[in-house]
Amino acid sequence: MKNLTIELKALTFHLIILNDQIIHLSFSPDSHQQAIKKISRQQPIFPLKSGPEKDKLITEFKRYFAGQPYNLPWSTQAPFYSSGSAFQQEVWELIRAIPRGKVMTYGELAAELGGKGYARAVGRACNTNPLALIVPCHRVVGVKDIGGFAGGRLIKKRLLEIEGIFDDGGQRQLPLK
């Protein structure tokens, strides 16, 4: 198992990789350390050193941030993803369908799941998302503001800026799905 921290586009994010698959991706150092602690009970984790595997990952993240087609290796069988509840996994799959440059509100996702009363549960599922960017929970926003983000609201705002969600004045546009 391998551990990697990447800095791109004024963002720092952390990955855990198992069998060439990303199994955890977070902007939160605390979340990353908790994941390492949990998964390292099963297998030791080593830093991913320079080489083709690291270069390929960095290239794919550069493509992601540039809005180009990308291929980030992951699986729904990844330990952290597959350990989510059925509801969390359903939320995460809906979030994966939100295209780049678009957003949905917590309430809109909740409505797709059966009722606006699920909006807080959608927010909790976003907060526990083990695969930031792959499951782009930063694209889920509040009605009045951008909402929360496990990696911090400033990082969420930066991700939305990269995807063109904000105009030059920093105001949210509403390119809803």
Side-chain angles (χ1 to χ4, degrees), residues 34-63:
Q34 289 173 7
I36 286 175
K37 186 176 180 180
K38 183 176 181 180
I39 201 82
S40 65
R41 293 179 195 143
Q42 301 165 9
Q43 196 175 102
I45 298 178
F46 302 99
L48 179 60
K49 304 219 185 258
S50 294
E53 183 180 12
K54 184 176 181 178
D55 294 344
K56 181 172 179 7
L57 277 170
I58 290 172
T59 296
E60 293 304 320
F61 280 108
K62 285 180 179 177
R63 295 175 65 79

Side-chain angles (χ1 to χ4, degrees), residues 59-75:
T59 296
E60 293 304 320
F61 280 108
K62 285 180 179 177
R63 295 175 65 79
Y64 176 95
F65 286 121
Q68 300 171 345
Y70 62 91
N71 182 20
L72 296 172
W74 77 285
S75 166

Side-chain angles (χ1 to χ4, degrees), residues 3 7 25-26 28-29 37 40 44-45 73 82-83 114 120 142 153 155-157 163 165 167:
N3 175 38
E7 293 184 24
L25 194 164
S26 175
S28 165
K37 186 176 180 180
S40 65
I45 298 178
S82 63
S83 67
R120 286 181 190 255
R153 290 170 53 98
I155 292 172
K156 183 173 187 172
K157 185 173 187 282
E163 294 189 8
I165 302 299
D167 63 21

